[in-house]
Amino acid sequence: MYQKDGQKYFIVDGHVHIWDGRESNQKNVHGKQFIDCFYDYHRNLSPEEVVWDYDTYTYYGSERFERDLFVDGYVDHAIFQATLLSDFYHNGFGQTDEALALVAKNPGKLTYNHAYDPRHEEAGLEQLRKDAAEMNLQGVKLYTAEWHGDSRGYKLDDPWSRRYLEECITLGIKNIHVHKGPTIRPLDRDAFDVSDVDKVATDYLDLNFVVEHVGLPRLEDFCWIATQESNVYGGLAVALPFIHTRPRYFAQIIGELLYWIGEDKILFGSDYALWTPKWLIEQFVDFQIPEDMQTEYAPITVEQKQKILGLNAAALYDIDVPADLQLAEPAGQRGVDVAAGAREPETVSS
């Protein structure tokens, strides 16, 4: 829990990892390219005082994970988003066994979302059924640009992908997180395009589609989709660190998101260990739309920040929120109503 100026914030970090990018786990040059690109994001978008050395970054381990999130980072609950990259790493990039051990060690504080690849076809479906039972899956994380043999990506509306989405409904896996953001070397930028989200969100209303990284650099495309599809949400991982290096750019991002999709469909995520949650939470709570931009974007309220930092994800994952950290009267969905052609009025606190 984070507290500032008499306001309390229940924190759900909706996007965390425990990974192994060390040379010993790299299957080929692409494994090194991937972790090096991650490190460049970390180094270039973080405040200087929180930049890690490279060796620590490639593998930081469970003890540091717990300290950075639960001791120093204000996090009440965190959600693992698996990234396997089996073509690049011997034991996968995300460490499934270590993550599950952390879930068992921290009951009520961690949720694990595993990954699947529909290009594994029938065998992968059977594995998904086993994983759902053994891991108690409420969500999955998909990398549509992940390489698999000669294939360098897939679309969410491909026939086999649809089979998997239908199986998720059967298995009670309701939250589908999809990396739809900046590319990571050597993956292909266009394989992260957001257009396929529109199709499956329309067809599978029993599922929630969380577009991680809010589609950057396709923010406008994402907003037009998410404002029309009630089951499409935006994850702020990667977008949020611009609050430090490009605060006016971040103001534009969060301003567009609040205008188009509303405060109930935006989720905080640190993308740990790309970035640590402590400084992101502190800076977001302190952040305000610059005055000269407030003719276009309304000021951000405390209530909106409380929802984004944890209450929205808690609702998606049925996470218990202490009574004193809940909103007395949730305001409900705000944003553009495209069908009605009108925007609901914002309530702005001073």
Side-chain angles (χ1 to χ4, degrees), residues 45-232:
L45 295 182
S46 300
E48 184 177 355
E49 64 272 15
V50 297
V51 173
W52 296 6
D53 67 87
Y54 179 81
D55 288 341
T56 300
Y57 191 77
T58 58
Y59 177 71
Y60 40 91
S62 294
E63 183 177 345
R64 175 147 194 172
F65 174 97
E66 292 175 294
R67 182 175 74 249
D68 285 341
L69 268 69
F70 302 131
V71 178
D72 298 334
Y74 314 116
V75 174
D76 296 289
H77 195 104
I79 302 170
F80 279 110
Q81 305 294 352
T83 303
L84 301 183
L85 297 173
S86 300
D87 275 24
F88 298 168
Y89 295 95
H90 296 292
N91 189 38
F93 184 64
Q95 299 303 290
T96 302
D97 291 343
E98 191 168 2
L100 290 172
L102 280 165
V103 172
K105 183 182 176 184
N106 295 275
K109 298 181 73 173
L110 282 168
T111 294
Y112 181 74
N113 286 350
H114 199 48
Y116 65 69
D117 189 327
R119 292 168 295 185
H120 290 293
E121 299 182 351
E122 199 63 51
L125 274 177
E126 183 57 34
Q127 186 63 52
L128 175 60
R129 297 181 188 110
K130 293 178 181 178
D131 291 340
E134 294 173 1
M135 301 175 185
N136 190 30
L137 296 180
Q138 299 180 61
V140 290
K141 168 69 183 302
L142 307 180
Y143 240 60
T144 57
E146 184 165 352
W147 291 8
H148 177 62
D150 293 333
S151 171
R152 291 172 64 149
Y154 67 92
K155 296 294 185 183
L156 291 174
D157 60 325
D158 287 345
W160 271 105
S161 176
R162 288 180 175 272
R163 289 272 303 274
Y164 277 67
L165 293 174
E166 290 159 6
E167 190 66 27
C168 284
I169 295 173
T170 300
L171 295 170
I173 301 172
K174 62 181 181 178
N175 298 312
I176 311 299
H177 296 250
V178 193
H179 180 114
K180 293 292 187 178
T183 194
I184 304 150
R185 192 182 185 201
L187 304 177
D188 297 336
R189 177 183 181 273
D190 289 347
F192 286 133
D193 184 78
V194 298
S195 60
D196 53 346
V197 175
D198 192 19
K199 299 175 184 178
V200 293
T202 298
D203 294 343
Y204 300 104
L205 295 175
D206 292 332
L207 298 174
N208 303 312
F209 293 89
V210 182
V211 174
E212 298 293 353
H213 324 302
V214 295
L216 294 176
R218 309 167 190 85
L219 179 66
E220 185 174 9
D221 289 347
F222 165 70
C223 285
W224 277 98
I225 292 170
T227 196
Q228 298 181 75
E229 304 291 348
S230 62
N231 56 339
V232 174

Side-chain angles (χ1 to χ4, degrees), residues 10 12 76-79 108 111 138 310 313-322:
F10 184 80
V12 178
D76 296 289
H77 195 104
I79 302 170
T111 294
Q138 299 180 61
L316 283 182
Y317 279 87
D318 300 320
I319 297 167
D320 289 334
V321 179

